[in-house]
Amino acid sequence: MRVATSILRPFWGCVDDSISALRRALNEVESIVTLTGAGISAESGIPTFRGKDGLWRKFSPQALATPEAFRRDPKLVWEWYDWRRCLIQKAEPNGGHYALAELARRQAARSGSFTLITQNVDGLHDRAGSQNLLKLHGDIWLVRCVGCGKEQCNEEAPLKELPPRCDCGAWLRPGVVWFGEELPRGVWERAVEACSRTKIMLVIGTSATVYPAAGLAKVARNAGAQVAVVNPDPSGIDDLADWILRGLSGEILPRLL
Ligand code: BV8
Ligand code: ZN
């Protein structure tokens, strides 16, 4: 019966030992997978979804992040996404984003593999220099035509016209995955594949409540990987964890380097 190697409560002493233990382990393994959620962008000023001033507290996902909501009132949905784009454009990546980009560089330097899987649509990982991201839920800076299906990058914030239109005249929708919509095919398969062959999985800043993303830690665990959780609060996958680092990812991740 595999015993969680160390469950840490917020006694900094313990966090230190566990960070050094995890840092050592990360320097030895050939493959690392990380899964991030809204929590990694919280210290950049982007509200999380379920946090105390989270997006889902003020706005209902059903009313704004579903194809039905867009069909019902595309202008309302775009007002929400335009507001979030303006917020994100003013934000900067934080120490957590940069630490993961550096971890990937170090893994590459020792010809190990590093896969960054994110539920975030904010693009802050890209701006921190991370490459070959697996964006499970799309990208808020992409727009897709509901008529001709053309997808393009659009970083205009605020948008001049809501809803924005495609050259073909049809409306554009945000390039994100809404509830009830399938995750981007290749991206999901590659995420599952990476989790099923990794040695360590870091799960950072997610409540692990949205599926199928929340099921990836179990895929890794069942394949024999060790799982480390970085989150100031309990999350849906703590029981799968070998390490629980209770703290802010912007403070903890740089200390893994
Ligand atoms: C699908 C894009 C099928 C849009 C998003 C199984 C069981 C139950 C339900 C389902 C199931 N399978 C499917 C479902 C339905 C649904 C679902 O999961 N519902 C939930 C609510 C129960 N899933 C779907 O609909 C998915 N699609 O299943 O399609 C299908 C198959 C074939 C063909 C057709 C259809 C699609 C889900 C994707 C939805 N889109 N985002 C947008 O952003 O507007 S989800 C969105 O919410 C985010 O992307 C993210 O995934 C989720 C929010 O979760 P988190 O990121 O974890 O954020 P949260 O606020 O919850 O937590 C933040 C955490 O950070 C907290 O724990 C906090 O403590 C911590 N934290 C805070 N500060 C810090 C920190 N951590 C570290 N440092 C800090 N500083
Ligand atoms: Zn079009």
Side-chain angles (χ1 to χ4, degrees), residues 17-122:
D17 325 338
S18 216
I19 285 178
S20 38
L22 183 53
R23 185 188 314 126
R24 263 195 311 283
L26 289 169
N27 287 330
E28 279 143 25
V29 288
E30 66 274 10
S31 62
I32 300 171
V33 165
T34 60
L35 172 68
T36 63
I40 198 169
S41 295
E43 292 151 272
S44 296
I46 314 288
T48 64
F49 290 78
R50 284 172 187 73
K52 68 177 173 4
D53 54 359
L55 290 171
W56 293 152
R57 299 245 178 229
K58 300 194 199 81
F59 313 97
S60 91
Q62 277 63 33
L64 290 161
T66 61
E68 298 74 29
F70 188 76
R71 267 192 295 280
R72 214 175 24 246
D73 189 343
K75 188 162 182 312
L76 174 70
V77 170
W78 264 115
E79 276 160 0
W80 188 55
Y81 281 95
D82 193 40
W83 170 73
R84 289 172 66 189
R85 286 159 54 106
C86 293
L87 207 63
I88 295 166
Q89 199 163 64
K90 287 198 281 294
E92 290 300 328
N94 62 62
H97 298 104
Y98 287 113
L100 293 183
E102 177 56 22
L103 210 50
R105 279 189 289 274
R106 292 184 184 186
Q107 258 312 82
R110 46 192 288 275
S111 56
S113 78
F114 184 94
T115 307
L116 177 41
I117 306 168
T118 189
Q119 299 168 78
N120 301 347
V121 297
D122 57 27

Side-chain angles (χ1 to χ4, degrees), residues 218-237:
K218 197 146 188 59
V219 170
R221 188 59 199 261
N222 293 350
Q226 290 186 299
V227 174
V229 168
V230 179
N231 196 317
D233 302 319
S235 77
I237 52 159

Side-chain angles (χ1 to χ4, degrees), residues 145 147-150 166-170:
C145 176
C148 69
K150 193 166 74 180
C166 172
D167 319 341
C168 76

